[in-house]
Amino acid sequence: MDQSKIGTFIMERRKKRGLTQAQLAERLNITDRAVSKWETGKSLPDSSIMLALCEILDITADQLLSGGREAKAAESAPSLPKETAGRVPRRGERRWRLALLLTGGLFTGTLVCFICDTALTGGLSWSRIVAVSTGYAWAALLPWVILKRGGAAGSLLSLSVFTVPYLYSLGRLLRVRAVFTVGTAMAVLSLVFLWLIYAAFRRMGRTSQAMGTACLLLAGLTASINGALYLLEAAPPPDAWNGMSVLLFLLAAAVCFTWKRGGE
């Protein structure tokens, strides 16, 4: 394992991604001095942050440990004939196949519910609830399946767009107004905190600091939901059990923030 070649490869990939040493260090929650040591061949990234580093640099662990030799060999190797290459499905093709499988499975399940509902009741009653819920699930999961990068953001965006219409439709079908009023309040609170958690991981990477921030946000979300349910008269005042869940998230955040990372 040649530390010098690995360091040079890290520097090349960092520059190709348009990152400075300080920006890379910030995303990994380490010091820029540690990054400088990698690139000069004085040390290697710790195993605890290697996967996060590979994700940021858009490389595999094998490419990192081989100093990029694997990637260069692949670039210089002659391309396979079209007949041979066509037999191996690309990642994009696999994602589209999974999307078709997801769509077909959900559609088939909904169709079976329609048939059973019609046979049992002579019309469409409960199966409409299944259809609306299935469509909502499909809209939320499809971006995650199709998009290589940004799948989480795509799913969050779908949830942000379709949650309120879904709750409105569900409330109408169930003929329970509280499903829409209370559900919408809870959904808006949850989506705000989910976007904040997503932003934390985007900025900090998969680090203990990001996990700690997520736990703090989950503690705030739990407290906000308990308070909102009480104000909407949908639940009794928050009690000790509600406070316990908030406390557990706060303790988890404290552990994450004090956890020592390697490579610093």
Side-chain angles (χ1 to χ4, degrees):
M1 189 181 297
D2 193 326
Q3 290 188 188
S4 178
K5 288 185 178 180
I6 292 174
T8 301
F9 182 54
I10 291 175
M11 180 176 63
E12 291 174 352
R13 294 300 303 178
R14 172 180 62 77
K15 291 181 178 179
K16 188 172 183 180
R17 303 290 289 176
L19 296 171
T20 64
Q21 288 185 348
Q23 289 172 333
L24 178 59
E26 183 181 5
R27 293 184 65 172
L28 291 170
N29 193 32
I30 59 175
T31 63
D32 53 357
R33 185 178 179 183
V35 177
S36 177
K37 286 184 178 180
W38 299 344
E39 295 185 354
T40 54
K42 295 179 181 178
S43 66
L44 290 173
D46 190 87
S47 58
S48 62
I49 59 174
M50 192 170 292
L51 289 179
L53 174 63
C54 289
E55 183 177 353
I56 295 171
L57 299 180
D58 194 21
I59 57 175
T60 65
D62 289 338
Q63 289 174 334
L64 176 63
L65 296 176
S66 65
R69 288 194 298 271
E70 178 185 316
K72 293 175 182 176
E75 290 174 1
S76 60
S79 58
L80 292 172
K82 291 184 178 178
E83 300 83 17
T84 305
R87 295 174 188 171
V88 182
R90 299 175 181 176
R91 284 188 177 182
E93 293 175 356
R94 289 200 295 268
R95 289 178 179 276
W96 279 105
R97 289 179 184 178
L98 286 174
L100 289 174
L101 184 62
L102 171 68
T103 303
L106 292 176
F107 176 79
T108 302
T110 303
L111 184 60
V112 169
C113 290
F114 281 155
I115 295 172
C116 293
D117 192 12
T118 303
L120 293 173
T121 65
L124 299 178
S125 55
W126 55 268
S127 60
R128 292 184 297 170
I129 299 174
V130 174
V132 170
S133 300
T134 300
Y136 176 67
W138 176 82
L141 292 173
L142 191 63
W144 192 288
V145 174
I146 291 179
L147 300 177
K148 178 181 178 182
R149 295 187 178 277
S155 290
L156 277 175
L157 183 60
S158 291
L159 289 174
S160 302
V161 172
F162 294 111
T163 295
V164 173
Y166 165 68
L167 291 172
Y168 176 77
S169 301
L170 193 61
R172 290 291 300 271
L173 291 172
L174 294 172
R175 297 180 181 178
V176 179
R177 181 175 175 79
V179 171
F180 175 66
T181 55
V182 177
T184 298
M186 299 302 100
V188 170
L189 278 174
S190 300
L191 286 168
V192 168
F193 279 91
L194 285 174
W195 275 111
L196 290 174
I197 291 173
Y198 171 77
F201 277 100
R202 283 285 296 176
R203 179 172 179 79
M204 304 177 191
R206 297 177 182 178
T207 62
S208 59
Q209 296 296 313
M211 287 295 299
T213 303
C215 289
L216 278 180
L217 289 169
L218 288 172
L221 173 61
T222 303
S224 300
I225 287 179
N226 290 333
L229 287 173
Y230 172 65
L231 293 175
L232 292 171
E233 299 181 353
D239 54 18
W241 288 107
N242 301 127
M244 184 67 69
S245 59
V246 175
L247 181 60
L248 288 175
F249 280 124
L250 291 176
L251 288 175
V255 170
C256 291
F257 283 130
T258 55
W259 191 271
K260 286 188 177 181
R261 300 284 304 182
E264 297 188 27

